[in-house]
Structures are given as C-alpha cells and as structure tokens.
Amino acid sequence: MSPIRPENRARYPKNWRQISLTIRADRAGWRCECAGECGRGTHDGRCPNRQGYPAYGTGSRVVLTVAHLDHAPENCDPDNLRAMCQACHLHYDRDHHAQTARATRDQQLRDAGQMELA
Ligand SMILES: [Zn+2]
Ligand SMILES: [Zn+2]
C-alpha cells in the first residue's frame, strides 16, 4: 500500500498497518492531508485528492499513503505522520531520496578510495 523501501522495512513497527489505517481513515477521512508540505506548488491549502477518486491534474486513481515528515520510519508519532496521495508523497520524498542516494554514492567513493590506499 505505502511505498516502503525494502531496506527500510525492518524499521517500521509491527503494527504499522494499523497505525497507517488509523491515520488515513480516522484522522484524514481518506483525504490527502498535505497542506503544501510536498512543495509541488500545485495546490493551495489542503490537497483535494481523496482515496479512490481521480487525482486532480492527472485523473489517475488516488491511493493514499502515509508519509513520515522526518523520513524516519520508526518515528510513528501522529505529529510525524501525514496521509498523502502518491503524488504529494513522492514529491515530498524526492529531495530526501536524492540526498540519500548522493550520501550513499559519496560513501562508496570514499570506501573505494580507502581500499585503493590499503
Ligand atoms: Zn496530495
Ligand atoms: Zn501536496
């Protein structure tokens, strides 16, 4: 349901499915809770996307996910969680993923350099 990256799966709590459902159903009422945090700049105020309805702009069916605002899957404090449509969630995570990929690449280069020196 939510785009959990395989390397992060173990960092989610065992009751993540229940937490995620509670956020999306009870708190968000199956509407995207993004109020601009995604930085897409395509919606003013709260995102109008609703679970199962056509997404604005694209018309593809909305699937709500739950985003971690600090990108730490183990931090499931409700304040750290936002129900987000896939577009908002992907956009919100995109910069973070780019930074993570860059950090990994830098580390690999450093490791390679150390191996050459050894
Ligand atoms: Zn949205
Ligand atoms: Zn948004």
Side-chain angles (χ1 to χ4, degrees):
M1 182 63 82
S2 50
I4 295 177
R5 285 151 49 94
E7 67 271 29
N8 283 342
R9 190 172 296 277
R11 296 173 63 189
Y12 284 80
K14 287 194 167 48
N15 61 338
W16 169 245
R17 285 173 64 91
Q18 185 58 49
I19 294 169
S20 167
L21 182 65
T22 300
I23 293 292
R24 286 176 292 158
D26 297 348
R27 196 178 77 184
W30 295 108
R31 285 176 56 211
C32 181
E33 290 185 307
C34 176
E37 293 96 331
C38 66
R40 290 201 282 159
T42 53
H43 58 87
D44 288 329
R46 185 168 171 175
C47 175
N49 282 343
R50 298 175 68 97
Q51 170 80 17
Y53 286 78
Y56 76 91
T58 66
S60 61
R61 202 170 68 85
V62 171
V63 178
L64 278 190
T65 60
V66 176
H68 293 75
L69 294 181
D70 70 352
H71 303 288
E74 54 275 87
N75 182 0
C76 292
D77 188 297
D79 287 344
N80 188 44
L81 301 175
R82 288 284 183 283
M84 284 191 183
C85 66
Q86 22 337 19
C88 286
H89 195 164
L90 280 173
H91 205 282
Y92 184 76
D93 280 352
R94 199 173 58 184
D95 286 348
H96 177 70
H97 287 170
Q99 284 168 12
T100 305
R102 195 155 50 235
T104 303
R105 203 162 52 239
D106 288 351
Q107 186 59 50
Q108 284 167 346
L109 286 172
R110 278 194 296 275
D111 290 349
Q114 282 161 10
M115 284 172 67
E116 280 167 21
L117 289 173

